[in-house]
Amino acid sequence: MDSLDSGQKFSPRHDPEWESALQFLPATDSKPLEKKPGCRRKLWTGIGLVLAAAAISLLTGLLVWHYHLRSDVRVKKVYIGAMGIRDENFLPSYEDSNSLEFKHLASRVKKQLKLIYAKNSVLAKSFLDSTVQTFSEGTGGDDGVVAYYQSEFDVHISQQDSLDQAIESLTVVAESQKGRQGRLMLRPTDALSVNSVTSRAIDPRMTRTSLFERQLFNIHVREPGRIQSPGFPDSSYPPNVYLQWRLRADPGHRVRLDFHTLILEDDCQQDFIRIYDSLAPMENQVLTEQCGYPHDCLSFLSSGNVMLLTLVTSEDKNFPGFRANYSQTAATQQRMSGECGGTFSGEKGSFSSPFYPSNYPPKITCVWKIQVPVEKFVKVQFNKFFLGNNSNECPNDYVEVNGQRLCGSKPDSTVATSQSNTMTIKFNSDSSYVDQGFTAEYEAFVPTNPCPGRFQCTNNLCINNTLQCDGWDDCGDGSDEEKCICEATQMKCKNGRCKAKFWECNNVDDCGDNTDEEDCVKCQPGEFSCRNKRCIREKLVCDGKDDCLDGSDESRCEKSLVLQKCSQFTFRCRDGRCISKLNPECDYERDCDDGSDEEGCECGIRPYRSSRIVGGQVSRQGEFPWQVSLQSYGSGHVCGASVLSNRWLVTAAHCVQDNGPNKYSQADQWEALLGLHVQTQTNEWTVRRKVRRIIAHRDYDRVTYNNDIALMELDANVTLNQNIWPICLPSATHDFPAGQEAWITGWGATREGGQTSLILQKAEVRIINSTVCRNLMSDEVTDLMLCAGVLKGGVDACQGDSGGPLSVTSSGGRVFLAGLVSWGDGCGRRKKPGIYTRIPKYRQWIKENCGI
Ligand code: ARG
């Protein structure tokens, strides 16, 4: 997820112009430092000023003359465009620019363009020439063939804007003609029936003068295959290139492109890919633009039988690039009879946007008609909903229910109800920018009793009665937690919710309006509460003195303090001195005088970014490069583990206990898979290693799961790569406060009692206060354990995730190992967090046993 991406440090680009501006500024500041000028000096200054003014006006005049009045300052402008042609059938030979047919049609298109430009005085004056680049089948509508061309103009520098306008207005003319079924007629007999002409200026990033390599690949996607950026996967893509892949499917088919890997520079102004629903990079047909390390769905479909993929790169910072699989999928007959939409007459049903979970194609309309028995109404619930940007009118892609449009992304379920026994739902996508779409379920209900035996939320969702007034917002609009009468064991929040009393004053906003954290008797107003529970005057915070006597009043200040006394809360430098800063290790700032807080910090990053889970989602390849799959000969994946170095892994001790016939305590029973993403698929970054030695904690307790930690030494070092990288170990005094976000990852079961998962899953949880946690769990939670989860339920680790990481991104951006998946009460149950081995408690033990 993006929160993890902040590891990168911003380094400003080298820009000479900007630098000279910076040097210039101090001159004004230095003025007051000058000696007071005498009278003579004033005179000279006056003369100097007059001369300077004269020089400036002369220069200005010259520039004006040069750019506006001199008749020979002309520029070349190139526009790209597409022409839709009626009454022509697409011939296979149009794919070959050397064929006679291609040349013939191309020359007719050129003539036609010339004629169109001749009708506009601005265009006529400056038009030089057009070249036809390629043809494709028309995409539905009236077009038989689409021609893609470039037109070159030569214009006086002052006329550039009117040329742009003329080009844009051309579109309008042609389109209004189209509305009246008219034609842009050509006198000669070989006139073309032109349906539409769309021309656009080229994206300036694609005309950067630094781009020295341009290359074009023509690919027919009838046979599935793959494309990748040059050098992939062994080296990063080349700088300053503009590459185009023209993908063409058989007539009546869509092009499908699925990305397997996509890692580019984070700044889309520098390196990016774009996908077009066209063979020319036309702005109005962009399906997506991507850069960095996108985590969204990366499967795309065209509306017609063509697609264009472009890659543009800049001088510096080059990354691995991409690999994508292409194929084609039949469309025509479905397009005619609706490859989406339909009629439903059952009491219940479900449907989704076309090709879900891939991105829906552009220019598609689907209509679902639902009809239920006369005495009933219809309710439809959208579970997933990603339709472009949020906007009021939803002019682009939308779902229309009862005549009302929905668009944008909706994090919670959205419900709509009908006022009769029928409902019509329409989905529409326009010609650019696609998204993942939606999934929906519908249900018939009796209007007088919409939620039989269940609670009806204000937003019309039905939830189990037991979920009402239990302190959790299950409706998504809070309506199940309104007007509640709290029980004796609960406190009443100001917003009317009831929350268990033991959540009062636990530093987490459980009420949602923070009222459970107000009026907590800690320190007086105007006082600061130290971590050792002392109270000091607020004024003393960050005053450079250790007033709390545990450094906590100086722990979040700009400057770290060297303390007289060390405590359980303070970081100890190698020289034995302790500093006040909280979690100073590997935060890119040298806090210890000996620099020891920044040593051994190559960990916790995703190298190519510049640098069994319940309720989770699939991760992206390389997103958690420290994740390991521990497999035993015979049983396949058993546990998770984390990479600590090129030789050592850490896992849970309970994973390496003999279990009946399985001799899990024996090193030779194991195999570690590093850099793995999909269980059954290894690739060039996956490394398989035998285990040489297992060091389980001597005090591991099989009953309480105390000290649930073990180290594994690999039989040979691994070479780190973009999918294999160590995670940072927190120091013994590292604090993971309650409420902090953390990630759990693994191939374990995706629900209690369920199957392990094929693709590495990730889920976001929060660290839970230990006192709260002890109150929730029936088994003992010791100080050597850490609780994390989502107390509402539904998000947790599960069988098969054991030994894997609970990771936290620190403020500096590095990822630290906070815990190891250890145990839980079922999986994902409400009010039952997951219990993890608390890693800071084992910092010394790890050092002693493997030297890291
Ligand atoms: N012990 C389990 C395993 O071996 C992991 C349990 C974690 N459970 C939980 N609800 N967090 O995979």
Side-chain angles (χ1 to χ4, degrees):
M1 282 280 284
D2 283 350
S3 59
L4 293 172
D5 299 343
S6 47
Q8 177 193 4
K9 284 223 152 176
F10 175 71
S11 54
R13 296 181 65 75
H14 193 76
D15 186 339
E17 259 180 50
W18 183 230
E19 251 169 34
S20 60
L22 280 178
Q23 282 162 5
F24 192 69
L25 282 172
T28 23
D29 287 345
S30 62
K31 270 237 172 90
L33 299 176
E34 276 174 17
K35 280 188 200 161
K36 265 208 164 149
C39 219
R40 182 183 292 261
R41 188 145 184 168
K42 263 189 197 150
L43 179 68
W44 279 113
T45 318
I47 294 173
L49 279 176
V50 170
L51 284 179
I56 289 172
S57 33
L58 185 65
L59 193 67
T60 319
L62 270 173
L63 285 174
V64 168
W65 172 75
H66 181 74
Y67 283 110
H68 288 274
L69 307 174
R70 252 182 77 178
S71 57
D72 57 342
V73 183
R74 301 186 72 85
V75 284
K76 267 217 180 102
K77 292 207 75 166
V78 181
Y79 297 88
I80 52 171
M83 177 189 283
I85 308 166
R86 277 158 74 101
D87 309 335
E88 284 304 319
N89 286 326
F90 186 82
L91 307 175
S93 48
Y94 288 158
E95 288 185 30
D96 173 11
S97 58
N98 290 319
S99 70
L100 273 180
E101 290 82 358
F102 182 104
K103 288 185 177 151
H104 182 60
L105 188 57
S107 87
R108 290 171 68 200
V109 169
K110 282 176 65 168
K111 271 194 213 157
Q112 190 77 52
L113 283 169
K114 196 168 173 185
L115 213 94
I116 294 171
Y117 297 146
K119 291 192 184 144
N120 179 304
S121 61
V122 182
L123 298 178
K125 258 198 307 202
S126 46
F127 175 62
L128 287 179
D129 196 13
S130 297
T131 44
V132 173
Q133 276 147 347
T134 186
F135 294 106
S136 78
E137 232 204 342
T139 53
D142 289 336
D143 297 347
V145 176
V146 179
Y148 301 90
Y149 58 85
Q150 272 195 11
S151 292
E152 227 179 76
F153 294 83
D154 172 69
V155 68
H156 187 261
I157 192 147
S158 64
Q159 297 266 298
Q160 288 192 79
D161 291 346
S162 29
L163 184 63
D164 286 347
Q165 276 163 20
I167 282 285
E168 296 274 329
S169 66
L170 198 73
T171 314
V172 179
V173 170
E175 250 153 25
S176 64
Q177 293 262 341
K178 179 179 163 189
R180 284 185 267 118
Q181 290 291 309
R183 294 171 189 189
L184 294 166
M185 286 299 287
L186 187 73
R187 298 283 167 267
T189 45
D190 60 351
L192 290 171
S193 316
V194 175
N195 254 339
S196 59
V197 175
T198 320
S199 298
R200 290 283 186 276
I202 300 174
D203 184 330
R205 290 171 301 173
M206 294 177 169
T207 53
R208 281 199 291 242
T209 47
S210 54
L211 295 174
F212 66 81
E213 197 191 322
R214 285 158 201 273
Q215 231 181 320
L216 178 74
F217 307 96
N218 281 301
I219 292 166
H220 207 291
V221 303
R222 189 179 304 126
E223 299 300 329
R226 72 183 191 194
I227 48 178
Q228 55 194 33
S229 49
F232 188 91
D234 306 315
S235 59
S236 40
Y237 47 75
N240 299 319
V241 295
Y242 173 19
L243 307 177
Q244 302 190 47
W245 287 263
R246 282 189 192 151
L247 307 174
R248 217 185 261 278
D250 284 336
H253 289 71
R254 296 178 190 278
V255 178
R256 186 187 171 107
L257 193 60
D258 300 292
F259 282 82
H260 159 276
T261 310
L262 179 61
I263 310 174
L264 306 179
E265 182 176 350
D266 272 335
D267 181 358
C268 287
Q269 288 309 312
Q270 303 299 326
D271 301 347
F272 62 93
I273 61 152
R274 282 187 143 212
I275 299 175
Y276 298 85
D277 188 41
S278 156
L279 283 182
M282 305 271 294
E283 275 309 305
N284 56 340
Q285 290 180 304
V286 190
L287 298 185
T288 191
E289 175 174 312
Q290 301 282 345
C291 60
Y293 191 88
H295 294 161
D296 343 331
C297 160
L298 290 170
S299 286
F300 298 90
L301 287 133
S302 60
S303 65
N305 72 329
V306 293
M307 187 186 269
L308 176 72
L309 168 67
T310 60
L311 169 70
V312 174
T313 71
S314 66
E315 174 65 33
D316 37 30
K317 293 210 208 138
N318 296 304
F319 288 72
F322 72 85
R323 170 177 287 169
N325 297 310
Y326 57 76
S327 57
Q328 68 176 25
T329 150
T332 317
Q333 122 232 66
Q334 289 164 316
R335 215 193 292 157
M336 298 295 139
S337 62
E339 67 200 308
C340 56
T343 319
F344 291 113
S345 53
E347 297 243 332
K348 257 186 179 150
S350 59
F351 54 97
S352 59
S353 53
F355 301 100
Y356 188 90
S358 295
N359 290 291
Y360 49 76
K363 295 200 260 187
I364 197 165
T365 303
C366 320
V367 178
W368 292 269
K369 290 206 159 87
I370 302 171
Q371 183 159 25
V372 299
V374 271
E375 68 285 1
K376 294 189 173 175
F377 286 5
V378 188
K379 177 166 76 181
V380 60
Q381 179 175 335
F382 295 96
N383 298 317
K384 295 272 183 332
F385 198 93
F386 307 103
L387 257 74
N389 293 328
N390 276 314
S391 67
N392 278 341
E393 316 259 281
C394 299
N396 306 115
D397 302 347
Y398 59 85
V399 165
E400 200 176 280
V401 194
N402 302 337
Q404 203 201 332
R405 286 186 183 187
L406 304 171
C407 60
S409 285
K410 311 222 179 286
D412 297 313
S413 296
T414 308
V415 180
T417 48
S418 70
Q419 296 299 316
S420 72
N421 70 326
T422 60
M423 187 187 254
T424 304
I425 296 140
K426 180 174 158 191
F427 166 71
N428 185 72
S429 67
D430 69 356
S431 59
S432 61
Y433 291 104
V434 293
D435 206 338
Q436 201 171 10
F438 66 87
T439 63
E441 285 172 276
Y442 84 88
E443 195 180 359
F445 67 96
V446 182
T448 49
N449 185 12
C451 294
R454 297 201 291 165
F455 174 81
Q456 185 184 7
C457 306
T458 307
N459 62 13
N460 288 319
L461 214 67
C462 301
I463 61 166
N464 276 345
N465 279 331
T466 54
L467 300 180
Q468 202 194 341
C469 292
D470 68 346
W472 310 91
D473 172 13
D474 298 284
C475 285
D477 62 359
S479 53
D480 55 322
E481 297 301 319
E482 282 163 12
K483 303 187 201 97
C484 298
I485 298 165
C486 302
E487 289 166 20
T489 55
Q490 294 178 316
M491 66 163 285
K492 181 135 191 134
C493 306
K494 276 222 182 81
N495 58 16
R497 293 194 185 170
C498 302
K499 281 280 170 186
K501 280 208 172 116
F502 56 73
W503 288 341
E504 257 177 301
C505 299
N506 68 347
N507 281 329
V508 178
D509 172 15
D510 299 290
C511 281
D513 62 359
N514 206 40
T515 42
D516 55 320
E517 296 303 312
E518 285 167 5
D519 310 323
C520 301
V521 228
K522 285 177 197 153
C523 295
Q524 299 294 317
E527 285 189 327
F528 173 82
S529 55
C530 306
R531 295 177 73 195
N532 59 11
K533 309 241 154 70
R534 264 172 209 261
C535 296
I536 60 160
R537 279 188 297 130
E538 217 152 54
K539 287 220 181 76
L540 302 178
V541 175
C542 292
D543 66 349
K545 284 200 228 82
D546 179 12
D547 303 288
C548 283
L549 301 177
D550 68 351
S552 55
D553 55 320
E554 301 294 320
S555 69
R556 294 172 198 273
C557 312
E558 211 157 292
K559 185 113 188 58
S560 186
L561 209 66
V562 178
L563 301 172
Q564 298 299 341
K565 249 176 60 197
C566 297
S567 78
Q568 63 185 118
F569 305 122
T570 54
F571 181 83
R572 189 187 288 267
C573 305
R574 204 191 18 240
D575 61 12
R577 298 205 287 179
C578 287
I579 55 172
S580 63
K581 190 175 188 179
L582 187 67
N583 304 341
E585 67 270 37
C586 301
D587 67 350
Y588 297 93
E589 273 169 40
R590 188 183 160 115
D591 300 295
C592 291
D593 283 341
D594 59 9
S596 52
D597 58 315
E598 294 300 312
E599 278 170 15
C601 291
E602 290 76 42
C603 57
I605 50 157
R606 293 168 178 86
Y608 271 106
R609 320 237 40 224
S610 56
S611 314
R612 124 195 129 155
I613 303 296
V614 179
Q617 40 181 324
V618 298
S619 65
R620 295 267 296 156
Q621 185 159 171
E623 194 179 354
F624 299 93
W626 31 85
Q627 176 77 48
V628 178
S629 166
L630 293 181
Q631 316 213 332
S632 97
Y633 295 101
S635 13
H637 172 88
V638 176
C639 270
S642 301
V643 176
L644 296 185
S645 71
N646 60 359
R647 197 166 186 92
W648 288 91
L649 312 179
V650 63
T651 185
H654 83 256
C655 289
V656 292
Q657 304 299 315
D658 289 346
N659 184 357
N662 297 315
K663 301 290 171 226
Y664 291 145
S665 67
Q666 307 298 309
D668 61 8
Q669 296 297 300
W670 290 101
E671 201 177 37
L673 268 92
L674 289 74
L676 188 70
H677 183 55
V678 182
Q679 272 296 330
T680 49
Q681 286 173 20
T682 54
N683 61 27
E684 52 268 55
W685 294 295
T686 316
V687 172
R688 203 184 274 271
R689 283 282 181 276
K690 293 203 169 70
V691 174
R692 189 173 145 200
R693 179 153 67 116
I694 298 175
I695 307 173
H697 200 289
R698 203 182 293 140
D699 301 324
Y700 164 68
D701 187 327
R702 284 170 175 268
V703 181
T704 62
Y705 273 45
N706 233 3
N707 301 306
D708 194 7
I709 185 170
L711 292 164
M712 272 188 179
E713 186 183 4
L714 304 176
D715 75 334
N717 289 356
V718 295
T719 307
L720 301 180
N721 65 36
Q722 65 184 66
N723 289 350
I724 305 179
W725 206 262
I727 191 166
C728 296
L729 283 171
S731 71
T733 53
H734 199 108
D735 183 41
F736 295 107
Q740 182 164 40
E741 289 134 18
W743 285 92
I744 47 175
T745 43
W747 288 274
T750 48
R751 59 188 165 79
E752 197 172 323
Q755 301 247 305
T756 55
S757 108
L758 211 53
I759 306 177
L760 181 64
Q761 304 284 306
K762 63 174 178 183
E764 195 178 16
V765 292
R766 281 177 188 276
I767 309 282
I768 289 161
N769 172 294
S770 303
T771 323
V772 169
C773 185
R774 282 188 192 111
N775 278 311
L776 294 172
M777 304 301 285
S778 37
D779 293 316
E780 197 200 0
V781 178
T782 70
D783 287 342
L784 300 172
M785 303 171 187
L786 178 69
C787 303
V790 173
L791 293 180
K792 199 176 155 177
V795 185
D796 196 4
C798 203
Q799 260 49 53
D801 291 324
S802 280
L806 169 77
S807 58
V808 166
T809 306
S810 67
S811 54
R814 292 191 185 273
V815 182
F816 282 81
L817 186 65
L820 308 177
V821 178
S822 181
W823 59 278
D825 202 346
C827 302
R829 297 187 191 170
R830 207 174 179 84
K831 299 191 201 174
K832 295 292 176 195
I835 314 297
Y836 299 79
T837 312
R838 192 184 276 269
I839 292 298
K841 297 284 182 196
Y842 298 94
R843 187 64 195 91
Q844 192 56 30
W845 181 84
I846 294 172
K847 182 99 199 153
E848 283 161 11
N849 285 279
C850 71
I852 296 163

